[in-house]
Amino acid sequence: MSVETSENIQNTNDVQSNKRHVTDEDDEIALKVPKVEEEEITKVERPKTSKYVLMMGYLGRDYFGMQRNRGQKTIEEDLLTALFKSELITKTQFEDIREIKFQRAARTDKSVSAVRQIVSLKLPRHVNREIINEQLPKEIRIFGVKKVTKNFNSKIQCDARTYRYVIPTFALAPEDPQFLETKEEIDPDKRLEQLSMIDGKPYTEYRLTSDMLDKLNETLKLLEGTHNFHNFTGKIRPEDPSAYRYIMYFRCIETFVANDIEFAVLEIKGQSFMLHQIRKMVSMVVGISRNIIKNDTIKDAFALEKIDIPIAPGLGLSLHHVHYKYYNRKYGNDGIHEILDWQECDQEVEKFYKDYILKSIVDTEATEKITLHWLTCFLTPLRFAYKVTV
């Protein structure tokens, strides 16, 4: 805010009163030069910006999620730091990302990875992905940069999101009937020893049969459609309209063997997801596959009664696609903007997925036995789907 002193006012009056007496051309130029120089300085300090989207992938293993949270290691903190070091945003913009209209398409949780996350923000028109990547750790990559409409919001204009969950198939093996009859908590060490053998063989040798795969897909299909998913997240009351979510499909798209362990790849596409929703859906499917709960438990979970559902590990979950069908139809062929499907990046993206995300899932399972310990501690008749009082 400027403050006019009496001296300022007097000087202004002097200039105005003397304007008619200025006849020297040099004097006129002298009066105009500072104005021109100020405009030039402004242009240098504030380059022209446009709205862009960054398509990025990251290994979430060592991060506390996507969303910025001061004092913790997050994907956004590393991204914004790289943008600042690349001189694509100012210090003020780094401190307050509202200045650049920053928005993520999906908020991934702790340890969750992404293959094609989308971020929208305002950046200088000379933005280059290679400049940003030079300032990023190898676990985070920018695969593409595209200009979008000035009011584009990566979250609001997203039509759907596709996730994948990679899980060892031994987690889907049926439980020992005697264990299911247990009325007391089992000793963790004994439980771990029990889970380490399936049908008299090491758990790593377990393989899904074609019939079991068909049964798995039948169970996954029960979770498709529009339902009240209040039991699949936290702090959402059953009567809250936001608990209703639309799942377009949920299926097992493939199985593969790595490090002598068979893995199943579950793919789910929905309009939007709540916190922990997919991981609890996976947990429900595992519980049914192991005969700990029945298929009807899914119907119970969609009802108003509160049910406690364990959360599956975050390790196997990754965001794979963010869909913009309506935007692409309206603006993708207008001659100014590009279609947001990123097919031109597929080869580079898939390489990153296999070299970093998939490799991390497989190696961590083999060395740390994440899923085996999860089954030991959480997937028991007494802890799974236990109805609690609201």
Side-chain angles (χ1 to χ4, degrees):
M1 183 174 75
S2 61
V3 178
E4 288 192 89
T5 63
S6 58
E7 184 179 351
N8 294 144
I9 296 171
Q10 181 63 43
N11 289 338
T12 302
N13 292 336
D14 290 344
V15 170
Q16 290 177 341
S17 61
N18 288 331
K19 274 186 178 179
R20 67 172 66 92
H21 301 296
V22 176
T23 56
D24 190 282
E25 185 177 351
D26 290 338
D27 287 338
E28 289 184 12
I29 294 174
L31 288 172
K32 294 178 182 178
V33 167
K35 198 172 189 178
V36 174
E37 289 178 346
E38 184 179 348
E39 290 176 356
E40 290 177 350
I41 291 172
T42 302
K43 289 179 182 179
V44 172
E45 292 180 348
R46 295 190 178 184
K48 290 184 178 180
T49 61
S50 294
K51 189 63 124 353
Y52 289 91
V53 290
L54 306 179
M55 192 271 281
M56 62 186 295
Y58 50 82
L59 175 62
R61 181 185 58 194
D62 298 323
Y63 287 85
F64 288 88
M66 170 71 179
Q67 189 172 3
R68 191 181 206 180
N69 189 2
R70 291 301 178 86
Q72 291 187 322
K73 184 179 181 182
T74 65
I75 300 297
E76 283 184 4
E77 192 66 35
D78 277 8
L79 173 61
L80 292 166
T81 299
L83 292 173
F84 177 65
K85 289 182 177 179
S86 303
E87 299 182 353
L88 294 172
I89 62 173
T90 65
K91 183 68 174 177
T92 301
Q93 293 167 340
F94 174 79
E95 296 295 337
D96 186 359
I97 57 177
R98 292 174 298 182
E99 294 279 335
I100 54 174
K101 309 296 182 184
F102 185 96
Q103 180 60 59
R104 71 201 75 80
R107 185 184 67 179
T108 53
D109 302 334
K110 178 183 177 182
S111 301
V112 176
S113 300
V115 183
R116 296 177 182 84
Q117 171 73 281
I118 304 295
V119 169
S120 58
L121 71 170
K122 290 175 65 177
L123 289 172
R125 295 177 182 176
H126 64 271
V127 59
N128 183 299
R129 75 182 184 104
E130 297 301 335
I131 297 175
I132 307 172
N133 281 333
E134 288 176 2
Q135 304 295 336
L136 285 169
K138 63 183 184 301
E139 293 84 8
I140 304 177
R141 292 290 91 182
I142 305 296
F143 297 117
V145 180
K146 291 185 179 181
K147 186 178 179 181
V148 289
T149 55
K150 65 179 181 179
N151 293 321
F152 182 88
N153 182 301
S154 61
K155 179 182 178 181
I156 294 175
Q157 290 174 265
C158 170
D159 304 309
R161 299 161 179 84
T162 300
Y163 285 82
R164 288 182 186 175
Y165 194 95
V166 179
I167 186 170
T169 58
F170 66 75
L172 304 170
E175 284 282 359
D176 182 340
Q178 291 183 345
F179 170 73
L180 296 176
E181 297 174 1
T182 302
K183 302 298 182 182
E184 298 178 357
E185 285 287 358
I186 190 172
D187 178 79
D189 292 334
K190 290 182 179 180
R191 171 71 170 155
L192 184 60
E193 182 181 350
Q194 178 195 50
L195 290 169
S196 297
M197 300 294 289
I198 301 176
D199 297 331
K201 298 179 181 179
Y203 73 98
T204 55
E205 296 182 16
Y206 184 79
R207 301 292 183 265
L208 282 180
T209 65
S210 58
D211 288 343
M212 296 176 71
L213 188 57
D214 290 341
K215 184 179 178 182
L216 171 62
N217 277 311
E218 289 174 5
T219 303
L220 294 171
K221 196 168 183 64
L222 295 174
L223 291 158
E224 295 177 352
T226 301
H227 302 286
N228 187 334
F229 283 94
H230 73 95
N231 275 314
F232 294 82
T233 188
K235 300 180 181 179
I236 298 293
R237 298 190 65 82
E239 302 83 4
D240 192 330
S242 67
Y244 282 85
R245 301 294 161 122
Y246 173 47
I247 305 301
M248 299 170 184
Y249 67 76
F250 196 10
R251 60 199 177 203
C252 178
I253 60 172
E254 67 171 326
T255 60
F256 66 92
V257 177
N259 290 349
D260 297 324
I261 302 174
E262 183 182 61
F263 292 83
V265 181
L266 311 181
E267 186 170 274
I268 181 170
K269 181 179 180 180
Q271 282 185 337
S272 60
F273 298 93
M274 296 179 287
L275 181 66
H276 298 153
Q277 181 182 339
I278 297 175
R279 291 163 64 184
K280 287 199 171 196
M281 292 171 74
V282 169
S283 183
M284 178 74 77
V285 171
V286 172
I288 292 172
S289 298
R290 299 186 70 83
N291 297 323
I292 295 176
I293 55 176
K294 305 294 184 181
N295 282 359
D296 288 344
T297 307
I298 293 179
K299 293 181 181 179
D300 294 338
F302 291 151
L304 298 181
E305 190 168 7
K306 188 68 177 175
I307 298 179
D308 184 25
I309 303 173
I311 302 173
L315 175 67
L317 185 61
S318 58
L319 172 65
H320 270 253
H321 293 279
V322 181
H323 306 273
Y324 296 98
K325 184 178 179 180
Y326 177 79
Y327 175 87
N328 287 338
R329 186 166 62 243
K330 186 173 183 180
Y331 299 106
N333 297 308
D334 64 0
I336 302 174
H337 305 95
E338 300 177 71
I339 293 177
L340 303 180
D341 61 10
W342 313 101
Q343 291 182 7
E344 69 278 8
C345 305
D346 281 352
Q347 187 174 353
E348 185 181 4
V349 169
E350 287 304 314
K351 187 178 187 306
F352 178 84
Y353 172 61
K354 292 177 181 178
D355 292 350
Y356 286 90
I357 299 174
L358 202 56
K359 185 177 186 302
S360 174
I361 294 171
V362 169
D363 290 349
T364 304
E365 280 292 351
T367 57
E368 300 181 24
K369 302 178 180 179
I370 299 295
T371 301
L372 191 65
H373 288 294
W374 174 66
L375 293 173
T376 301
C377 298
F378 294 100
L379 267 292
T380 67
L382 295 182
R383 294 194 181 187
F384 194 96
Y386 178 79
K387 296 182 179 180
V388 297
T389 303
V390 179

